[in-house]
């Protein structure tokens, strides 16, 4: 009878481990629901670049080849182009074709939800207090909202968490290291952030080298630690070599690496592209990142007080995260993930030590709460199934692939925000068959490609690495209406112009005799050449400022 009861209890426990949702599962469902089924879905489409990613993927489907020359612009037609995020493009292109923008938004929401729910699970497994882990995760997510866009960089966030999970020697056996080169085969074809993987490998390799070089003393355990560190350093070096080889498995081979190097080392581009600018700490997301930096200082200070060692990998990760996040706003999400991964266990340990001191001084009433959270943490880490997360993703996919509707109700309506993009202006261009190419600011180019390709081409979009420094210098003169602003228009002869309402360009075009407004909306003004000029566009002359 007792054996039967024990067997039944074990079965119930195993069933609970696989069927009960963990806190990480609930976090996944919460992120998925908020990002896919609320107005935040429109925010995910706040970067027009997703438009040319979608059309690139659909072009790959229709031609069965990866493009090597530019198909979207009139100004650079036929020039060599690196579609280096082609694998992401294929996915979003197919999703848009089958489920519309709802599918693209859902895919992005799943990637974001998986990233932060997995990071929460890593924090808990690294002995971070449940409440503290949740608070740190919310801070990191709030800081990352600065780049909550349906773009391939979201995949790099997930790869960052994957690599941290594998590289943590306290969590995974060394055989898992072979997953890194395999994942690099995907990462290199999804986003240029694959370089982050080598930064992480270098950090953990240097940490192992530091352990080798440290004095071992006379302790036998110290000698064993050196031997283990030597083996780990060799393993990481081998994995780094295989990962480097894996990066060559892309449509462009080593030329992709040269292209990325030239792009990232171009000071003009780095100084003028918004996302590469240092963060402005007046924004909410940037303030959350600043809080994480302050918590990092606090965690290290408290850790020092407790006389616990700080590993070289943790110190290097913090330095790398702080520098990269302060250097460019686009790096804040990854920097935030790295920071909470390091400081979570340290803050939790320090707070636990403080709680024990207070308990010894007679504050015994704090013990039940502490023991409650410890029990919760043990239960949560024992839950192995992710049924609820899978079910939530499956139901969301069903809704997305059925027009965003369920039971006659519209639950998903992903679209480009008409307050941010020239939706009505492009409607006018389409309905009146205005000739191309069309000139608009680079931050609208991807949206125009999404709406008008292949009938109409753009003069410029946000593929800054493709257009290059000299082209962009001339373009910026036109946008900012600087001396020589008309030269760019003379060189590329657009058929019509979309200018942001009340912009410097819109104001000066309204004062010229060569262009006249044919549509004025809340977001943009559409300009067409004067009839007398349209027949001789090749000789178009615009008055100077």
């Amino acid at each position: 009878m007792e054996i039967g009861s024990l067997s039944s209890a074990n079965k119930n426990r195993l069933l609970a481990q696989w069927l009960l949702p963990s806190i990480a599962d609930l976090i996944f469902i919460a992120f998925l629901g908020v990002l896919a089924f609320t107005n935040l879905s429109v925010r995910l489409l706040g970067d027009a670049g997703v438009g040319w990613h979608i059309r690139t993927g659909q072009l790959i489907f229709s031609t069965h080849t990866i493009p090597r020359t530019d198909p979207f612009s009139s100004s650079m037609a036929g020039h060599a182009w690196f579609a280096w995020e082609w694998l992401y493009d294929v996915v979003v292109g197919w999703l848009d074709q089958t489920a519309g923008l709802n599918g693209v938004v859902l895919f992005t929401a799943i990637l974001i939800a998986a990233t932060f729910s997995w990071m929460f699970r890593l924090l808990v497994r690294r002995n971070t207090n449940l409440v503290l882990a949740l608070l740190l995760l919310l801070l990191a997510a709030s800081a990352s909202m600065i780049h909550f866009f349906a773009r391939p960089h979201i995949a790099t966030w997930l790869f960052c968490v994957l690599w941290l999970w594998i590289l943590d020697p306290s969590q995974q056996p060394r055989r898992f290291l072979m997953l890194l080169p395999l994942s690099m085969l995907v990462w290199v074809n999804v986003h240029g952030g694959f370089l982050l993987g080598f930064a992480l490998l270098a950090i953990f390799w240097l940490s192992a080298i530091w352990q080798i070089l440290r004095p071992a003393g006379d302790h036998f355990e110290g000698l064993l630690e050196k031997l283990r560190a030597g083996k780990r350093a060799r393993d990481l070096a081998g994995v780094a070599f295989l990962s480097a080889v894996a990066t060559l498995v892309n449509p462009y081979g080593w030329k992709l690496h040269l292209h990325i190097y030239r792009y990232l080392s171009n000071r003009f581009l780095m100084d003028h592209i918004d996302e590469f600018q240092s963060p402005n700490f007046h924004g909410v997301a940037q303030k959350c990142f600043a809080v994480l930096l302050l918590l990092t200082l606090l965690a290290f200070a408290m850790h020092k007080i407790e006389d616990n060692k700080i590993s070289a990998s943790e110190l290097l990760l913090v330095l790398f995260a702080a520098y990269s996040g302060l250097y460019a706003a686009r790096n804040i999400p990854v920097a935030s993930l790295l920071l909470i991964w390091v400081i979570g266990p340290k803050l939790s340990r320090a707070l636990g030590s403080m709680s024990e001191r207070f308990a010894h001084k007679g504050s015994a009433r704090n013990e039940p709460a502490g023991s409650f959270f410890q029990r919760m943490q043990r239960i949560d880490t024992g839950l192995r199934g992710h049924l609820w997360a899978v079910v939530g993703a499956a139901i969301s996919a069903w809704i997305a692939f059925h027009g965003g509707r369920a039971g006659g109700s519209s639950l998903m309506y992903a679209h480009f925000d008409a307050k941010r993009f020239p939706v009505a202006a492009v409607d006018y261009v389409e309905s009146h068959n205005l000739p191309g190419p069309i000139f608009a600011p680079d931050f609208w180019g991807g949206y125009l490609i999404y709406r008008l390709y292949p009938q109409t081409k753009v003069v410029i979009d946000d593929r800054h690495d493709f257009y290059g420094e000299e082209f962009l210098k001339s373009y910026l003169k036109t946008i900012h209406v600087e001396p020589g602003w008309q030269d760019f228009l003379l060189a590329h002869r657009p058929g019509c112009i979309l200018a942001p309402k009340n912009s410097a360009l819109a104001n000066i075009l309204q004062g010229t005799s060569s262009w006249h407004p044919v549509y004025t909306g809340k977001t943009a003004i559409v300009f067409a050449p004067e009839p007398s000029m349209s027949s001789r566009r090749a000789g178009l002359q615009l008055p100077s400022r």
Side-chain angles (χ1 to χ4, degrees):
M1 184 68 178
E2 291 181 0
I3 295 176
S5 300
L6 182 61
S7 176
S8 177
N10 286 336
K11 289 180 180 179
N12 290 334
R13 185 167 61 253
L14 287 173
L15 192 64
Q17 286 178 344
W18 288 96
L19 294 183
L20 286 178
S22 65
I23 297 177
D25 294 334
L26 298 178
I27 290 172
F28 177 90
I29 294 171
F31 269 94
L32 181 61
V34 169
L35 293 174
F37 296 98
T38 69
N39 289 334
L40 282 179
S41 65
V42 178
R43 176 180 171 77
L44 294 182
L45 295 172
D47 189 315
V50 68
W52 63 261
H53 281 292
I54 290 171
R55 293 298 179 235
T56 300
Q58 293 169 351
L59 184 64
I60 293 172
F61 271 117
S62 62
T63 62
H64 305 291
T65 59
I66 297 171
R68 296 176 182 275
T69 57
D70 175 41
F72 300 126
S73 77
S74 61
S75 54
M76 299 288 281
H79 285 239
W81 173 48
F82 289 83
W84 41 318
E85 295 152 334
W86 69 272
L87 190 55
Y88 173 87
D89 299 348
V90 166
V91 174
V92 295
W94 176 79
L95 287 170
D96 179 78
Q97 206 162 0
T98 53
L101 291 174
N102 286 338
V104 177
V105 163
L106 176 63
F107 176 62
T108 306
I110 288 175
L111 289 180
I112 294 175
T115 296
F116 288 99
S117 60
W118 195 359
M119 176 53 73
F120 175 84
R121 195 164 184 85
L122 291 188
L123 288 174
V124 173
R125 288 190 177 275
R126 283 169 54 80
N127 298 316
T128 305
N129 176 280
L130 279 177
V131 176
L132 179 62
L134 186 58
L135 291 175
L136 290 175
L137 190 81
L138 291 176
L139 267 177
S142 299
S144 302
M145 283 192 69
I146 191 174
H147 276 289
F148 270 20
F149 296 126
R151 294 289 297 265
H153 66 278
I154 299 293
T156 283
W157 303 358
L158 186 59
F159 277 110
C160 175
V161 177
L162 170 66
W163 279 51
L164 285 175
W165 176 67
I166 294 173
L167 287 169
D168 186 357
S170 65
Q171 298 293 318
Q172 302 302 331
R174 59 188 292 262
R175 66 176 181 273
F176 275 60
L177 290 174
M178 289 309 301
L179 293 176
L180 299 181
L182 294 176
S183 67
M184 184 57 76
L185 291 171
V186 179
W187 198 353
V188 70
N189 291 292
V190 170
H191 186 239
F194 70 88
L195 296 174
L196 172 65
F198 293 99
L200 296 178
L201 278 171
I203 286 171
F204 282 91
W205 181 81
L206 288 172
S207 179
I209 295 297
W210 171 249
Q211 286 181 297
I212 296 171
L213 298 177
R214 284 176 56 191
D218 298 328
H219 300 290
F220 179 69
E221 183 60 33
L223 294 174
L224 288 179
E225 187 66 28
K226 279 180 173 289
L227 291 175
R228 286 194 291 265
K231 186 168 185 58
R232 180 166 175 79
R234 290 191 295 272
D235 289 342
L236 291 175
V239 166
F241 173 77
L242 293 176
S243 298
V245 173
T247 64
L248 297 174
V249 185
N250 70 80
Y252 311 100
W254 63 269
K255 293 181 180 180
L256 173 63
H257 302 69
L258 180 61
H259 176 74
I260 293 176
Y261 169 75
R262 289 174 174 171
Y263 176 39
L264 296 180
S265 62
N266 187 300
R267 296 313 313 164
F268 175 83
L269 296 180
M270 296 300 103
D271 291 341
H272 287 81
I273 298 175
D274 287 342
E275 62 185 16
F276 284 105
Q277 303 302 300
S278 297
N280 179 351
F281 285 96
H282 291 282
V284 174
Q286 295 89 333
K287 288 178 180 177
C288 290
F289 179 63
V291 171
L292 285 175
L293 290 174
L294 293 175
L295 286 176
T296 301
L297 294 175
L298 178 63
F300 274 43
M302 297 175 71
H303 205 66
K304 184 67 175 176
I305 292 172
E306 297 295 329
D307 290 326
N308 290 317
K309 294 179 180 178
I310 298 172
S311 69
S313 61
E314 293 172 334
L315 180 60
L316 290 172
L317 280 173
V318 166
L319 291 175
F320 174 75
Y323 173 78
S324 61
L326 293 173
Y327 176 79
R330 66 173 291 162
N331 298 330
I332 285 180
V334 167
S336 299
L337 291 170
L338 295 177
L339 289 178
I340 65 173
W341 188 83
V342 172
I343 68 175
K346 298 187 180 304
L347 280 176
S348 188
R349 196 176 303 120
L351 292 174
S353 299
M354 291 174 59
S355 178
E356 289 178 5
R357 290 197 197 98
F358 283 123
H360 286 314
K361 291 181 179 180
S363 301
R365 60 181 178 273
N366 291 333
E367 292 182 7
S371 60
F372 169 76
F373 285 118
Q374 289 175 2
R375 289 197 301 271
M376 282 288 294
Q377 190 156 339
R378 284 195 296 269
I379 293 172
D380 187 71
T381 53
L383 298 176
R384 301 176 181 177
H386 302 288
L387 176 65
W388 290 96
V390 173
V391 170
I395 293 175
S396 301
W398 187 90
I399 294 172
F401 280 83
H402 286 79
R405 305 184 67 84
S409 301
S410 179
L411 300 178
M412 293 182 70
Y413 177 46
H415 60 279
F416 287 97
D417 187 0
K419 295 180 180 179
R420 187 179 181 92
F421 298 103
V423 177
V426 175
D427 290 340
Y428 179 88
V429 170
E430 281 189 310
S431 62
H432 287 76
N433 295 316
L434 294 187
I438 186 167
F439 172 76
D442 60 324
F443 51 80
W444 283 350
Y447 174 73
L448 297 178
I449 292 171
Y450 180 75
R451 287 288 305 273
L452 301 175
Y453 179 80
Q455 290 79 15
T456 304
K457 292 190 175 185
V458 299
V459 174
I460 188 173
D461 56 87
D462 65 350
R463 293 172 295 160
H464 303 111
D465 62 303
F466 168 59
Y467 289 101
E469 179 178 344
E470 295 305 316
F471 186 96
L472 292 175
K473 282 181 177 179
S474 180
Y475 155 77
L476 287 175
K477 285 184 180 180
T478 300
I479 288 295
H480 298 313
V481 194
E482 297 173 350
W485 67 272
Q486 70 275 29
D487 295 342
F488 186 84
L489 297 178
L490 290 170
H492 301 290
R493 302 197 301 274
C496 62
I497 297 175
L498 262 69
K501 190 175 182 181
N502 299 323
S503 64
L505 180 61
N507 292 335
I508 199 169
L509 286 176
Q510 288 180 357
T512 67
S513 59
S514 301
W515 295 91
H516 69 284
V518 294
Y519 170 86
T520 301
K522 295 181 179 180
T523 305
I525 301 176
V526 179
F527 292 90
E530 288 292 343
S532 60
M533 303 296 293
S534 60
S535 61
R536 48 191 181 94
R537 282 170 53 209
L540 178 65
Q541 296 294 322
L542 297 179
S544 60
R545 186 177 180 184

